[in-house]
Amino acid sequence: MTEPATDTLFAALEASWPPARVTEAPPFRLREGRGGGQRVSSALPMGPATGAEIEAAERAMEAMGQHPLFMLRPGDEALDAALEARGYRVSDPTLFYAIRPGALAEPSGPGRIFPSWPPLAVQREIWAEAGVDAARFAVMERAACPKTAILARIKDTPAAAFFLSLDRGIAMLHALEVRPAYRRKGLGGAAMRAAATWAEAQGAEWLALAVVAANAPAIALYEGAGLQRCGGYHYRRAPEAAR
């Protein structure tokens, strides 16, 4: 297999970055994110939906205190069209990238790498500087599968942090943040190699991540490290004036 199975990728994504609560409202799974971002705060379609079922999902999301938001995967084209007809706009097209850990893992790079769980205070500082707040820390803490937070240093100075969690043979990388002063110094590549080394040690078949398609610098880093694009998804957000 040249890339992870699509269903497995989506399952690992949710297990590694889980919502606070899930409510089954067929044909949707409604995810309550409590500030943890779009990924954990969207309705996930599990089959075809009628207009009445879409409206019921909208009301349920509003009852959670969330603006109506749907995550659309390959195969959800009919719902995508129905939401577009209702005035929903596309939000954050997102791409998957993946690589076999053994193709990347090696103890090289410009910094010193320190895996740990729970995250160190300095890792939280690096994330906080980049806007990764307490709600997103809570998402990391909720992940019930094997996980680690990794700190990278340059000349004993904390320079980068990221989160890894393993599910279904896929080590998913989240929240990779490099402090501005240390960008373009090779640290991003070293962080990717460290992620692959951890994934390989855990017996993972794949190292994978999801990245917003508009994030060109991050995509350049991942493609430069050898990761291959393997599908993606997008959201549809309800028009603000209509809610």
Side-chain angles (χ1 to χ4, degrees), residues 11 38 61 74 86 93 97 102 104 159 166 171 180 186 188 193 198 225 236 239:
Q38 291 190 122
M61 283 184 275
R86 297 171 72 90
Y97 278 85
L104 185 57
L166 175 68
R193 290 189 291 273
W198 182 87
R236 286 274 184 182

Side-chain angles (χ1 to χ4, degrees), residues 161-184:
F162 59 96
F163 173 71
L164 282 163
S165 188
L166 175 68
D167 183 75
R168 293 169 174 81
I170 299 177
M172 296 294 302
L173 187 151
H174 300 276
L176 172 57
E177 300 293 346
V178 179
R179 280 178 158 158
Y182 299 99
R183 293 173 186 168
R184 304 184 185 277

Side-chain angles (χ1 to χ4, degrees), residues 135-215:
R136 285 171 169 77
F137 294 150
V139 176
M140 299 181 204
E141 290 164 358
R142 284 197 296 267
C145 37
K147 60 189 176 184
T148 191
I150 296 185
L151 173 69
R153 295 177 179 268
I154 290 182
K155 296 180 180 179
D156 293 325
T157 301
F162 59 96
F163 173 71
L164 282 163
S165 188
L166 175 68
D167 183 75
R168 293 169 174 81
I170 299 177
M172 296 294 302
L173 187 151
H174 300 276
L176 172 57
E177 300 293 346
V178 179
R179 280 178 158 158
Y182 299 99
R183 293 173 186 168
R184 304 184 185 277
K185 298 182 183 296
L187 188 58
M192 295 303 300
R193 290 189 291 273
T197 299
W198 182 87
E200 188 173 52
Q202 296 294 315
E205 297 179 36
W206 296 96
L207 170 66
L209 55 90
V211 57
V212 175
N215 191 345

Side-chain angles (χ1 to χ4, degrees), residues 82-110:
L83 292 172
E84 183 176 26
R86 297 171 72 90
Y88 277 67
R89 62 176 177 83
V90 172
S91 176
D92 289 339
T94 300
L95 306 173
F96 280 123
Y97 278 85
I99 193 171
R100 295 285 189 182
L104 185 57
E106 59 180 60
S108 64

Side-chain angles (χ1 to χ4, degrees), residues 29-170:
R29 298 182 69 228
L30 306 181
R31 300 179 288 189
E32 184 176 346
R34 299 180 188 173
Q38 291 190 122
R39 190 176 299 151
V40 292
S41 305
S42 57
L44 190 65
M46 308 305 291
T50 66
E53 288 166 338
I54 293 171
E55 290 168 4
E58 290 172 338
R59 291 192 296 271
M61 283 184 275
E62 289 171 338
M64 293 177 184
Q66 297 179 178
H67 191 78
L69 180 72
F70 293 81
M71 183 177 184
L72 286 308
R73 302 165 297 178
D76 293 330
E77 289 78 13
L79 177 60
D80 197 21
L83 292 172
E84 183 176 26
R86 297 171 72 90
Y88 277 67
R89 62 176 177 83
V90 172
S91 176
D92 289 339
T94 300
L95 306 173
F96 280 123
Y97 278 85
I99 193 171
R100 295 285 189 182
L104 185 57
E106 59 180 60
S108 64
R112 300 176 63 199
I113 305 295
F114 301 88
S116 66
W117 190 264
L120 303 172
V122 68
Q123 289 167 297
R124 291 177 176 267
E125 289 174 9
I126 292 170
W127 278 322
E129 290 168 6
V132 180
D133 58 12
R136 285 171 169 77
F137 294 150
V139 176
M140 299 181 204
E141 290 164 358
R142 284 197 296 267
C145 37
K147 60 189 176 184
T148 191
I150 296 185
L151 173 69
R153 295 177 179 268
I154 290 182
K155 296 180 180 179
D156 293 325
T157 301
F162 59 96
F163 173 71
L164 282 163
S165 188
L166 175 68
D167 183 75
R168 293 169 174 81
I170 299 177

